[in-house]
């Protein structure tokens, strides 16, 4: 067995299988011969980062020790929706009976890794690290901590036994920060344990810093402080000699706030190791009006079967996908006033502050699609053309496959996510985000400098409803009846709107180790990018990150 599992993990797998199987998997037993062998594939339903292959494999092996499992992705690797994560071959009884439990491990732990990777990306470019907590699912501690590491986060203490962390209750009963530190310092040093103290205001911080060097904590956890307080705390700690090695922040850390917290110079505690916990606590509320319009007005205006308006949502794509799973008809639209977990391609965050952009997702049921990769390009082309018609002076363009540019900066993007069933997409959610108004300072500076908004570009106030009209009409024009190739008139439009055409680019193909430089030549009728590398012949690129080469990146690569 390649999966190395501890005794407690084996017991967890045993319990998980027992709760699902009970007496027996009657359905499988009564429909399929016990001798039958077969194969199956595990396919990713959404873009993300894989984790949990160890326990998932353990589940299959528990029921068929001979099962052949080929993992196409290892823990920590990124996947795109629709890509194969593993192929397996073995006794059909075992595969069918183990499937749900194995996928529960894989799905839940990949969710943890994916969420962690979003936080890690959000603090890229700062000195901040993302650290986990003990708020894990009972019995899953080691697995969830491993998943955090797979997502690029760091593990904090494993349990109560491997660090001293003085929290509010300890401080209260020990008589405050100073006396508590004095009590634990000596035994902790003797036991080789680090000491951390949690403080909630600057007075408590001072009390910790005032201790003589031997009684000073190794780490200080700043709980629930505003960005301004965190900045002051960083300043106070910098003046101390010898310095406190680690300053950590916890409380109120969301994908929205994480950038500005990281800018203060602290490390971060990722409060929710499990995306399931996040979802449970996150009930998206419907609102009666968005941009001055009611759901009924928008339904009529856009001739849609249903329109749902939400205040704060995680991601409108998730909300639309949930509705689609509950049989919402094709054409259903979901809009969020703000997103706390807005996402873009390749696991990137889509910063979605309230009333700044349009965050809109639409349900499609395209049936058998020869070429689902074309959907984002077609949606992008439709939206770009509609924005061009609606906003004079904007000059929008489509950067393959689905970024919307105005001038040299990005003002919008499209994320098409399919959920698959037997090789065909069961439903596709097309999510569009457009920055209508300038991005506020809560969005990290690095993101703001690479982005623009419609108002920035055209110099007049833009109404969110105008933008939503353009998005819905633009998508409808191209995706009303999705085809398997761009027709002549769409290709002619691309001549006009292809932002990358003739630009020098560097292309990092999914799964490749390094990027290749060359020239983007155009977009093929099936939606692939046509790329002429510096060395070699013209080729098609399907899943890749394409970055235009700048004068400085050219110099650096010489
Ligand atoms: C990209 O540029 O990578 C795509 C960005 C897509 C953002 C939109 S906003 C509405 C929908 N909900 C999401 O979480 N993402 C898309």
């Amino acid at each position: 067995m390649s999966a190395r599992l501890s005794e407690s993990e084996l017991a967890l797998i045993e319990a998980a299988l027992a709760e699902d199987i009970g007496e027996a998997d009657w359905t499988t037993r009564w429909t399929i011969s016990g001798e039958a062998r077969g194969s199956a594939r595990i396919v990713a339903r959404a873009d993300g980062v894989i984790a949990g292959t160890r326990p998932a494999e353990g589940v299959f092996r528990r029921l068929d020790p001979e099962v052949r499992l080929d993992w196409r992705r290892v823990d920590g690797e990124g996947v795109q929706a629709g890509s194969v994560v593993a192929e397996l071959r073995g006794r059909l009884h075992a595969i069918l009976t183990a499937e749900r439990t194995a996928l529960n491990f894989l799905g839940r732990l990949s969710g943890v890794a994916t969420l962690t990777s979003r936080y890690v990306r959000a603090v890229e470019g700062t000195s901040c690290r993302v650290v986990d907590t003990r708020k894990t699912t009972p019995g899953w501690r080691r697995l969830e901590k491993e998943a955090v590491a797979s997502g690029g986060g760091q593990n904090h203490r494993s349990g109560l036994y491997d660090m001293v962390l003085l929290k509010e209750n300890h401080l209260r009963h020990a008589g405050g920060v100073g006396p508590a530190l004095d009590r634990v310092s000596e035994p902790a040093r003797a036991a080789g344990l680090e000491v951390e103290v949690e403080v909630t205001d600057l007075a408590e911080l001072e009390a910790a810093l005032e201790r003589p060097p031997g009684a000073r904590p190794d780490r200080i956890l700043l709980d629930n402080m505003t960005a301004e307080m965190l900045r002051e705390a960083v300043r106070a700690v910098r003046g101390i000699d010898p310095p406190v090695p680690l300053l950590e922040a916890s409380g109120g850390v969301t994908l929205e706030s994480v950038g500005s917290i990281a800018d203060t110079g602290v490390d971060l505690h990722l409060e929710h190791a499990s995306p399931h916990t996040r979802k449970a606590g996150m009930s998206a509320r419907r609102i009666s009006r968005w941009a001055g319009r009611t759901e009924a007005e928008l339904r009529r205006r856009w001739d849609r079967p249903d329109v749902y308006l939400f205040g704060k949502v995680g991601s409108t794509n998730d909300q639309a996908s949930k509705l689609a799973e509950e049989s919402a008809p094709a054409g259903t639209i979901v809009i969020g006033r703000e997103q706390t977990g807005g996402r873009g391609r390749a696991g990137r965050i889509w910063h979605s502050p309230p009333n700044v952009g349009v965050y809109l997702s639409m349900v499609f049921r395209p049936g058998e699609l020869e070429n689902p990769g074309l959907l984002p390009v077609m949606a992008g082309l439709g939206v770009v053309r509609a924005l061009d018609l609606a906003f004079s002076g904007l000059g929008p363009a489509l950067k393959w496959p689905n970024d919307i540019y105005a001038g040299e900066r990005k003002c919008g993007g499209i994320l098409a996510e399919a959920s698959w069933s037997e090789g065909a997409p069961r439903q596709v959610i097309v999510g569009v985000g457009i920055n209508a108004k300038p991005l506020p300072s809560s969005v990290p500076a690095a993101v703001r400098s690479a982005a623009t908004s419609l108002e920035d570009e055209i110099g007049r106030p833009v109404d969110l409803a105008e933008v939503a009209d353009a998005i819905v009409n633009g998508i409808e024009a191209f995706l009303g009846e999705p085809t398997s190739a761009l027709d002549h008139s769409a290709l002619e439009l691309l001549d006009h709107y292809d932002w990358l055409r003739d630009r020098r680019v560097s292309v990092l193909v999914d799964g490749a180790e390094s990027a290749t430089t060359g020239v983007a030549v155009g977009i093929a009728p099936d939606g692939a990018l046509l790329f002429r590398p510096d060395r070699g012949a013209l080729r098609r690129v399907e899943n890749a990150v394409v970055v235009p080469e700048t004068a400085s990146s050219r110099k650096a690569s010489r």
Side-chain angles (χ1 to χ4, degrees), residues 377 381 397-401 403 405 407-408 486-505 507 518-525 527-532 538 546-549:
V377 176
L381 192 52
L398 178 69
K399 174 178 171 279
W400 182 91
D403 290 344
Y405 268 55
E408 292 300 298
L486 291 172
D487 65 14
H488 184 68
S489 57
L491 285 167
E492 261 179 17
L493 276 179
L494 263 183
D495 278 347
H496 186 63
Y497 290 122
D498 183 358
W499 190 85
L500 280 176
R501 183 166 299 186
D502 298 333
R503 284 187 194 242
R504 286 200 54 79
V505 289
V507 172
V519 174
V521 175
I523 297 175
L529 177 73
L530 298 172
F531 171 59
R532 191 187 307 287
L538 182 74
V546 179
V547 185
E549 236 184 37

Side-chain angles (χ1 to χ4, degrees), residues 331-402:
T332 298
I333 288 181
V334 171
I335 293 181
R337 188 165 50 201
E338 98 180 79
Q339 296 185 113
T340 50
R343 56 175 180 273
R345 257 181 93 223
R348 280 189 291 255
I349 295 171
W350 189 259
H351 293 274
S352 317
N355 295 327
V356 168
V358 175
Y359 319 119
L360 179 151
S361 300
M362 201 184 287
V363 176
F364 283 84
R365 298 191 187 280
E368 287 278 338
L369 266 191
E370 224 172 272
N371 175 20
L374 194 57
L375 286 180
V377 176
M378 285 166 79
L381 192 52
V383 171
V384 163
R385 191 185 53 166
L387 289 175
D388 199 12
L389 295 177
F391 298 97
S392 81
L394 180 65
L398 178 69
K399 174 178 171 279
W400 182 91
N402 57 2

